[in-house]
Amino acid sequence: MMKKENPMENHIDNKDRISDLPDSLLLHILSFLNIKQAIHTCVLSTRWINLWKYLPTLSLVSSQFTSVENFTEFVSQILSLRDNSTELHSLRFRRNIAVEPSLLEMILEYAVSHNVQRLDIGVKCDIQHFPTCLLSCRTLTSLDLHVSHPTVYGTTKLFPSSLNMPLLTRLGLWHFAFSAGNDGRVDPFSALTSLKSLNIVYCEVVDEQNLCISSAKLVNLYIYMVHYAPKTYFGIDLSAPNLSTFMFSGIPVQKLCWSKNNLSSIKRVSIDIIEFWKSSETSLVLLDWLFELANMESLIISSTALQVLSLVPSLSVELPSFCNLKSLRVEKRQIASIPDGIVDILTQNSYSPKVYIID
């Protein structure tokens, strides 16, 4: 016999179970959307109409807008309609074409006034000075600043000489120039007493001085340098006794040295030279790096870096002993093959390290 449909079962099946979830869970779901998508959920039911206004995260992405004016108006409306008593945990602002400095300043000031903790800015903007409130934000724990000039490629902005961000543990910087402070040293991170992770990309140093990286708690350091301008030919003076991971991509023209301590704390090293740079000076700089990093336990190195290293005369004699090396990972690049015998030279004084060749 055919089973008779039960009207109550259909009623139960059609129930809006998602809307019955608590606000905290719904807001968590909405946090995975950009703000424009989150607002569109208000048509689902009356339960969702104002929910987006209480989001602790904001993702402002301009790719869905046809004009600068529309995007600016949209952002202005979002910030004015959002619940003013709700703190802002994180804000992500991305725009691949130019924005007005006034818009960027408005967003930064709003974020700081709502106790932002994580800030990710990636825009093209000819802003001369960042708002003072940002430089003294006492709630920030993570900051990414990728602010490039809208028309002139490679232009850098002067990094602020004084910062007061006591809780900042992670910092990522793109297209900045570092200059000397009142003591004559280029030491832009010494005031960031909680800093544990630092990314420096496309940055320069003014007046051909060393870049001092002083941080008692710094654990991870990543540097990406590909410019050939004289301002990128600076030394890196490290004073970071707890640094355990050092990663570099680009062309190693920066001399690596230490201040007050050696680099024996560094256990994990990654070096990727982005093109085969035929220069004896560069190969000697790379050799010096390996001397300073000889206590490492793990090394990831590209085939282009090995090609540059192979330019060192009598490499097997000149290379330091990597007695603690436990893992060697060689990543092949199309522009450079792995020089014959160089893997054996790298591991000649190591005790049975694991070797991985990655295509």
Side-chain angles (χ1 to χ4, degrees):
M1 292 179 62
M2 186 177 291
K3 185 179 178 182
K4 227 175 168 184
E5 288 188 4
N6 187 335
M8 289 301 295
E9 286 182 1
N10 286 340
H11 174 72
I12 293 173
D13 289 342
N14 292 330
K15 186 177 180 182
D16 182 4
R17 298 181 183 277
I18 294 181
S19 293
D20 284 343
L21 295 173
D23 283 0
S24 58
L25 191 51
L26 292 178
L27 289 171
H28 179 70
I29 294 171
L30 290 181
S31 68
F32 292 96
L33 307 176
N34 66 53
I35 189 60
K36 189 175 183 180
Q37 295 168 331
I39 291 174
H40 284 167
T41 63
C42 70
V43 302
L44 297 177
S45 71
T46 54
R47 172 81 167 79
W48 294 76
I49 289 177
N50 292 310
L51 199 59
W52 69 269
K53 298 179 181 179
Y54 299 89
L55 271 172
T57 62
L58 278 182
S59 180
L60 304 173
V61 182
S62 69
S63 57
Q64 297 96 359
F65 294 85
T66 56
S67 71
V68 176
E69 293 76 15
N70 287 346
F71 180 65
T72 302
E73 177 63 23
F74 175 77
V75 171
S76 214
Q77 289 289 325
I78 292 301
L79 300 187
S80 62
L81 292 174
R82 185 177 178 272
D83 179 66
N84 201 45
S85 64
T86 300
E87 291 192 348
L88 190 59
H89 178 269
S90 64
L91 185 144
R92 181 173 180 262
F93 178 33
R94 294 282 174 175
R95 183 164 177 78
N96 53 13
I97 57 177
V99 300
E100 289 297 322
S102 57
L103 176 61
L104 179 56
E105 289 171 0
M106 178 180 68
I107 291 173
L108 292 175
E109 288 172 358
Y110 180 89
V112 173
S113 68
H114 287 76
N115 299 325
V116 67
Q117 297 175 37
R118 302 178 63 86
L119 193 55
D120 180 2
I121 304 295
V123 296
K124 294 180 179 179
C125 181
D126 189 19
I127 187 170
Q128 298 302 313
H129 303 285
F130 290 98
T132 305
C133 62
L134 175 65
L135 308 182
S136 58
C137 182
R138 303 183 67 82
T139 58
L140 263 180
T141 60
S142 176
L143 175 62
D144 282 286
L145 280 180
H146 186 171
V147 183
S148 57
H149 195 280
T151 57
V152 184
Y153 176 76
T155 301
T156 55
K157 299 192 177 301
L158 196 61
F159 189 71
S161 57
S162 60
L163 296 174
N164 183 19
M165 301 176 182
L167 299 182
L168 193 72
T169 59
R170 184 189 175 281
L171 177 62
L173 299 173
W174 285 255
H175 301 287
F176 280 94
F178 306 111
S179 61
N182 295 330
D183 60 356
R185 300 174 72 243
V186 183
D187 194 0
F189 313 113
S190 57
L192 303 176
T193 55
S194 298
L195 192 64
K196 293 183 178 179
S197 181
L198 175 63
N199 291 5
I200 303 173
V201 183
Y202 296 130
C203 292
E204 302 174 347
V205 175
V206 178
D207 298 330
E208 299 181 2
Q209 295 197 50
N210 283 357
L211 173 62
C212 302
I213 300 178
S214 305
S215 177
K217 295 184 179 180
L218 189 67
V219 175
N220 303 308
L221 174 61
Y222 172 68
I223 299 174
Y224 186 93
M225 297 290 181
V226 295
H227 290 174
Y228 310 122
K231 288 183 180 179
T232 63
Y233 285 66
F234 54 83
I236 301 171
D237 192 346
L238 284 173
S239 179
N242 290 303
L243 188 65
S244 64
T245 301
F246 174 76
M247 302 175 67
F248 178 89
S249 294
I251 298 174
V253 294
Q254 298 81 13
K255 294 188 183 293
L256 191 64
C257 52
W258 69 92
S259 174
K260 299 178 183 178
N261 62 281
N262 58 34
L263 303 180
S264 61
S265 64
I266 300 178
K267 306 301 181 185
R268 291 173 293 278
V269 176
S270 176
I271 300 173
D272 179 18
I273 299 180
I274 59 170
E275 61 181 80
F276 185 21
W277 193 247
K278 290 186 177 181
S279 164
S280 58
E281 182 180 355
T282 303
S283 63
L284 291 175
V285 169
L286 183 55
L287 180 64
D288 286 341
W289 283 18
L290 293 177
F291 267 101
E292 306 299 349
L293 301 167
N295 202 49
M296 62 188 170
E297 297 177 358
S298 169
L299 173 62
I300 300 174
I301 192 166
S302 65
S303 58
T304 44
L306 293 180
Q307 282 281 1
V308 170
L309 189 62
S310 69
L311 298 176
V312 177
S314 306
L315 179 62
S316 60
V317 177
E318 296 294 335
L319 201 67
S321 298
F322 303 120
C323 301
N324 297 321
L325 190 65
K326 298 176 181 177
S327 172
L328 172 64
R329 177 187 175 110
V330 179
E331 297 184 345
K332 289 184 179 180
R333 299 290 181 263
Q334 290 185 347
I335 58 174
S337 59
I338 301 174
D340 293 337
I342 198 165
V343 172
D344 292 333
I345 293 174
L346 283 171
T347 58
Q348 61 187 353
N349 293 307
S350 307
Y351 180 71
S352 302
K354 294 181 179 179
V355 177
Y356 307 92
I357 309 296
I358 310 298
D359 288 322

